[in-house]
Amino acid sequence: MYLKSIKLVNYRNYDQLYLDFDKRINLLLGKNGQGKTNILEAIYLMSIGKSFRTNKDKELIRFNSENTYIGGIFSKKNDDNIIELVIGNNMKKGIKVNKVSIDKIMQLLGNLNVVIFSPEDLKLVKDGPKERRKFIDREISQIIPLYYNYISNYNKILTQRNKLLKSNYLDENLLDIYDEKLSEYAKYIYLYRRDFIKKIELLSKKIHKNLTSDVEDLKIEYVNQIHVSDDDGLDILKNKFLEKIKSSRNLDKQYRTTKIGPHRDDISIFINSLDVRLYGSQGQQRTASISLKLSEIELIKEETLEYPILLLDDIFSELDQKRQKLLIEEFENIQIFITSAEENHKLIFEDKKDVNIIYIEKGRASQ
């Protein structure tokens, strides 16, 4: 899988932009604030349907414009495909895949798979559980688009339940209905997260050993409140959750929020049996984060039989030379987009033939 070209109209600081890409390495060079990350964001939008930088679509529209267009042609299993998005100030976001309109994000997911790696991802281990849940949910949704529906529906019911808990009149029968609905979606979320974390642990363990020359052993555990086991099927998971959330009802009333559920899941990460978040050095935390992010790539390849596109947003400035080269050499068959403000990063690719260098300045690009 690789992106062949992109077209942007009235997007961020671009009035019009058309770029062809190399199927291997694309280096976007330019000073900060010129629009490099905007291109990566547009690629991500075509994959996920939303930005990794903002929840407000209107921020993507160029100043003084009514709407924006993002379109890209990509090759998947040797066939050309096109994804197009139109976002307007006074209209619903429109998405087309191969000229056919879609009305659900689930229908977009899995068409163009991407993995993005930014300086923020180096804090994946150190940050709070919300960031790790986001990492898990994003990757499962690319592999299993139906999962996106489960997590979206769960969150909608969760919001309604919390609103009820905060109200002056508490309808117990309505709480029962919400508990039943939550348990129906929760059973799938637990199942898919359990299986995903087991797979990601095997892959990241191997990658981490390579990164640390076999000195460190990485272990990842699924942390949840109902003690999900390897043998639990959907009915067992639903009953476990339903029993637990009902037993927590008095506590939920006291705190006026839902204390039990996959919205409080996390993963624990250990290096040589020590919790790296609590006891690991900054270097160990970064290396563990890199191992997790790189394992995403291998898992998508295993599940879809094609490598995703790798987006590296200003990551080289955060890594030493050894890890810079590792990222490039580890994935010889992957299309990579790299943004950098440092001209000397071109030297990393001086022995590579398939490198497309794109210079970005004030919303203009030259190749």
Side-chain angles (χ1 to χ4, degrees):
M1 177 183 296
Y2 66 96
L3 185 63
K4 301 178 82 169
S5 64
I6 196 169
K7 181 181 179 181
L8 304 177
V9 180
N10 295 327
Y11 182 82
R12 293 282 194 180
N13 66 330
Y14 294 100
D15 52 2
Q16 288 200 40
L17 177 73
Y18 181 87
L19 289 172
D20 288 315
F21 298 124
D22 189 273
K23 59 167 42 173
R24 178 71 181 101
I25 298 169
N26 298 275
L27 177 62
L28 283 66
L29 280 178
K31 294 178 181 178
N32 291 330
Q34 304 304 302
K36 303 184 301 298
T37 300
N38 294 345
I39 296 173
L40 265 57
E41 180 186 42
I43 297 170
Y44 187 88
L45 266 164
M46 290 188 290
S47 173
I48 307 295
K50 54 187 176 182
S51 168
F52 60 86
R53 301 156 80 192
T54 179
N55 292 320
K56 299 176 181 177
D57 284 345
K58 289 182 180 180
E59 292 180 7
L60 308 176
I61 303 171
R62 183 176 167 84
F63 183 67
N64 279 339
S65 298
E66 288 299 313
N67 51 57
T68 182
Y69 169 90
I70 306 106
I73 297 172
F74 65 100
S75 176
K76 182 176 183 179
K77 296 181 179 175
N78 298 317
D79 288 330
D80 281 357
N81 300 268
I82 182 169
I83 290 176
E84 299 169 287
L85 295 92
V86 176
I87 299 167
N89 284 314
N90 300 304
M91 59 178 281
K92 183 183 175 183
K93 178 162 56 185
I95 305 175
K96 289 184 178 182
V97 178
N98 294 327
K99 301 298 182 180
V100 177
S101 295
I102 63 172
D103 53 11
K104 294 181 180 178
I105 292 295
M106 188 187 80
Q107 296 169 293
L108 175 66
L109 297 171
N111 283 284
L112 179 69
N113 291 323
V114 304
V115 169
I116 186 161
F117 201 177
S118 71
E120 288 302 305
D121 290 309
L122 291 171
K123 302 175 188 174
L124 183 63
V125 171
K126 188 167 64 174
D127 278 354
K130 182 180 179 181
E131 295 307 312
R132 288 184 285 279
R133 285 194 298 270
K134 191 188 297 183
F135 157 75
I136 293 167
D137 291 341
R138 184 178 60 224
E139 299 321 313
I140 300 177
S141 294
Q142 286 203 75
I143 298 166
I144 307 167
L146 186 59
Y147 176 84
Y148 179 86
N149 268 14
Y150 293 139
I151 199 76
S152 296
N153 289 329
Y154 175 88
N155 286 332
K156 286 175 186 173
I157 303 299
L158 178 66
T159 300
Q160 292 170 348
R161 189 179 192 271
N162 285 339
K163 187 177 179 180
L164 178 61
L165 288 167
K166 290 176 173 64
S167 66
N168 294 326
Y169 171 70
L170 204 59
D171 186 334
E172 297 283 347
N173 291 328
L174 187 53
L175 269 180
D176 286 338
I177 292 170
Y178 286 154
D179 291 354
E180 178 66 30
K181 286 184 175 180
L182 281 177
S183 64
E184 186 63 30
Y185 295 121
K187 69 182 182 183
Y188 293 108
I189 296 169
Y190 285 129
L191 176 73
Y192 286 125
R193 284 182 178 176
R194 180 195 71 190
D195 293 348
F196 171 81
I197 291 164
K198 284 168 65 177
K199 290 174 182 176
I200 216 80
E201 187 201 19
L202 290 173
L203 293 167
S204 58
K205 182 189 287 283
K206 181 181 176 183
I207 290 168
H208 196 84
K209 280 186 175 293
N210 291 337
L211 283 172
T212 61
S213 303
D214 285 340
V215 171
E216 294 179 354
D217 182 60
L218 185 72
K219 183 175 176 58
I220 300 171
E221 290 182 357
Y222 182 15
V223 179
N224 58 80
Q225 299 159 309
I226 68 167
H227 307 297
V228 174
S229 72
D230 290 351
D231 299 324
D232 289 346
L234 288 171
D235 290 341
I236 293 174
L237 289 171
K238 179 179 178 178
N239 291 334
K240 276 187 174 182
F241 174 78
L242 195 53
E243 183 181 327
K244 190 82 171 178
I245 197 171
K246 285 185 179 298
S247 68
S248 178
R249 183 171 290 190
N250 287 334
L251 195 63
D252 290 354
K253 290 177 185 176
Q254 180 183 342
Y255 287 94
R256 309 184 85 179
T257 191
T258 305
K259 290 282 189 178
I260 298 296
H263 60 288
R264 293 183 178 265
D265 283 356
D266 198 359
I267 54 176
S268 289
I269 302 161
F270 301 91
I271 290 179
N272 297 341
S273 300
L274 292 176
D275 189 325
V276 69
R277 191 167 69 87
L278 299 176
Y279 304 108
S281 66
Q282 186 174 346
Q284 286 177 316
Q285 290 174 347
R286 279 176 162 234
T287 305
S289 295
I290 292 171
S291 299
L292 276 173
K293 293 298 294 186
L294 296 184
S295 65
E296 286 183 64
I297 297 168
E298 292 294 350
L299 183 58
I300 290 174
K301 170 64 163 60
E302 282 188 7
E303 298 292 330
T304 68
L305 305 181
E306 281 198 306
Y307 277 114
I309 295 165
L310 179 59
L311 310 178
L312 303 177
D313 186 24
D314 197 28
I315 201 72
F316 277 9
S317 58
E318 302 288 331
L319 301 176
D320 58 35
Q321 202 170 46
K322 176 186 174 183
R323 287 181 176 83
Q324 289 171 1
K325 290 196 172 183
L326 173 85
L327 279 174
I328 302 304
E329 293 171 2
E330 184 80 7
F331 303 104
E332 285 293 335
N333 301 312
I334 297 180
Q335 186 182 36
I336 303 176
F337 290 84
I338 305 155
T339 65
S340 177
E342 299 179 34
E343 193 84 12
N344 63 357
H345 281 156
K346 289 191 296 185
L347 301 176
I348 299 169
F349 310 100
E350 59 186 355
D351 60 337
K352 307 282 184 186
K353 293 180 181 179
D354 45 0
V355 179
N356 175 28
I357 299 178
I358 303 168
Y359 296 90
I360 309 292
E361 185 176 2
K362 295 180 181 178
R364 295 283 183 270
S366 57
Q367 293 178 277

